[in-house]
Amino acid sequence: MKTVICPGSFDPVTKGHMDIIERASRLFDKVVVAVLNNSSKNPCFTIEERIGLLKETTTHLKNVEIETFDGLLVDFAKIKGASAVVKGLRAVTDFEYEFQMSMINKKLCPEVETIFLNTSQEYMYLSSSVVKQIAAAGGDISLFVPEEIRDKIVDRLLNM
Ligand code: ADP
């Protein structure tokens, strides 16, 4: 039984995140999406909202569960019995930070691997920040977030 962790802020979940989660769910037996509960990152959406949106967009993926964590990712991975952390890579800019994190995690906990999945080409420009900026300015975010949660995200960002 191979369990992996897909960590992130998911503030809010985008089609780029969903692409990585769906691909991980095809590769591994179980995927734990770990929503980082870190107030220093000052998220727009509360932890409950971010978890709720992810649950709604992953109902079709039977081997995916949504959880929250704070503290060290490798400790959470160990608690979950996960053998790897799966991360998406968009560009060289992602790589530098993610490479450093993966080396540190390897030092902290050698038995937990980091696996990188390259972004799909159509999502390489996409981030939660872009979605927030476009929606807050009244733009159409249909191309960027799963359809079932689009209106919730728009309502929320227009009423901030
Ligand atoms: P963001 O940078 O959008 O705020 P998160 O911290 O929520 O992202 O990222 C969680 C994970 O999802 C990270 O591994 C990140 O690289 C990945 N990810 C986010 N957007 C994309 C995308 N468009 N394509 C591939 N991976 C992505």
Side-chain angles (χ1 to χ4, degrees):
M1 173 92 174
K2 285 281 174 220
T3 299
V4 295
I5 309 275
C6 281
S9 306
F10 305 100
D11 185 40
V13 56
T14 67
K15 285 190 181 180
H17 293 128
M18 285 307 301
D19 178 53
I20 298 295
I21 295 168
E22 279 169 355
R23 286 160 63 197
S25 90
R26 286 196 291 272
L27 287 169
F28 301 100
D29 300 307
K30 185 171 163 192
V31 176
V32 179
V33 176
V35 187
L36 178 62
N37 188 10
N38 180 350
S39 51
S40 72
K41 267 198 130 186
N42 222 347
C44 265
F45 291 81
T46 66
I47 188 76
E48 291 78 17
E49 286 173 322
R50 287 180 279 149
I51 291 172
L53 292 171
L54 274 160
K55 284 195 170 156
E56 223 175 300
T57 57
T58 54
T59 46
H60 62 297
L61 302 169
K62 299 301 169 213
N63 62 343
V64 172
E65 66 180 51
I66 315 299
E67 299 222 13
T68 177
F69 81 107
D70 51 21
L72 286 178
L73 178 60
V74 284
D75 288 342
F76 182 72
K78 273 192 279 187
I79 292 168
K80 289 278 132 194
S83 42
V85 170
V86 172
K87 301 233 69 186
L89 278 186
R90 277 161 291 195
V92 188
T93 41
D94 272 352
F95 180 77
E96 204 169 325
Y97 173 75
E98 296 295 352
F99 185 71
Q100 182 190 17
M101 289 308 298
S102 72
M103 300 299 272
I104 290 171
N105 285 339
K106 192 81 188 167
K107 286 273 177 227
L108 292 172
C109 183
E111 62 271 29
V112 176
E113 296 287 349
T114 300
I115 297 171
F116 294 114
L117 294 181
N118 281 340
T119 180
S120 296
Q121 219 178 349
E122 64 265 46
Y123 303 129
M124 66 180 293
Y125 57 86
L126 186 53
S127 68
S128 298
S129 325
V130 164
V131 167
K132 284 182 277 195
Q133 280 170 19
I134 296 175
D140 182 5
I141 55 167
S142 309
L143 286 175
F144 311 133
V145 299
E147 194 184 346
E148 60 272 31
I149 59 167
R150 181 195 55 211
D151 292 346
K152 276 186 194 157
I153 293 175
V154 170
D155 287 348
R156 178 71 170 64
L157 290 170
L158 287 178
N159 292 310
M160 274 187 52

